[in-house]
């Protein structure tokens, strides 16, 4: 980004009313939406990163354990590696269900109650 484009962005007026974002941010329903999202997303993220880090550390430092054959040409490393894919899809499926039940209804209610134009995204900056 050049100095000229950042100066242009700094002086560009926001097309939305100044109070719409602030009023949405102060709405208790919006705070509840953020709370619900964080309640689910943060633990799931920590769990996924922990699972991945455990896999990497086992691959690096427990080679004997990871090389242990469970079946013909199937070792622990292969099973845990495939488990990474399964965990990713399981996490995405769980989040999708959670969002549909707990986040989307509240988000829709907030969008419906927002002043006209408050829920619209800002226009893209010209390149």
């Amino acid at each position: 980004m050049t100095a000229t484009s950042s100066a242009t962005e700094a002086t560009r007026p926001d097309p939305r009313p100044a109070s719409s974002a602030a009023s949405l941010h102060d709405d208790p329903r919006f705070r509840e939406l953020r709370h619900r999202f964080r309640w689910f997303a943060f633990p799931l993220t920590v769990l996924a990163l922990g699972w991945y880090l455990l896999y990497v550390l086992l691959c690096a430092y427990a080679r004997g354990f990871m090389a242990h054959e469970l079946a013909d040409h199937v070792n622990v490393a292969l099973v845990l590696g495939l488990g990474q894919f399964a965990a990713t899809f399981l996490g995405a499926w769980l989040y999708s269900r959670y969002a549909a039940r707990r986040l989307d209804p509240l988000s829709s209610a907030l969008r419906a109650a927002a002043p006209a134009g408050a829920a619209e995204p800002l226009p893209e900056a010209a390149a």
Side-chain angles (χ1 to χ4, degrees):
M1 178 167 17
T2 65
T4 307
S5 66
S6 75
T8 304
E9 290 174 15
T11 59
R12 181 181 299 134
D14 188 350
R16 298 179 293 183
S19 64
S20 67
S23 65
L24 180 64
H25 186 66
D26 293 337
D27 191 319
R29 294 173 299 176
F30 182 71
R31 285 193 215 128
E32 177 63 22
L33 181 65
R34 286 187 347 197
H35 171 75
R36 288 179 186 184
F37 171 76
R38 289 175 181 162
W39 182 87
F40 187 85
F42 287 166
L44 188 64
T45 302
V46 169
L47 186 65
L49 289 175
W51 167 239
Y52 179 71
L53 181 63
L54 176 67
Y55 178 71
V56 170
L57 290 174
L58 286 173
C59 285
Y61 298 109
R63 291 180 177 254
F65 171 71
M66 296 297 270
H68 179 75
E69 279 197 15
L70 301 174
D72 191 32
H73 301 294
V74 176
N75 60 14
V76 173
L78 180 63
V79 171
L80 292 180
L82 293 174
Q84 290 289 323
F85 287 103
T88 300
F89 288 111
L90 177 65
W93 177 72
L94 288 173
Y95 177 76
S96 175
R97 287 192 48 185
Y98 179 79
R101 281 181 308 157
R102 305 275 296 159
L103 301 178
D104 292 348
L106 188 53
S107 176
S108 296
L110 279 168
R111 189 174 296 115
E120 298 298 321
L122 290 174
E124 293 293 324

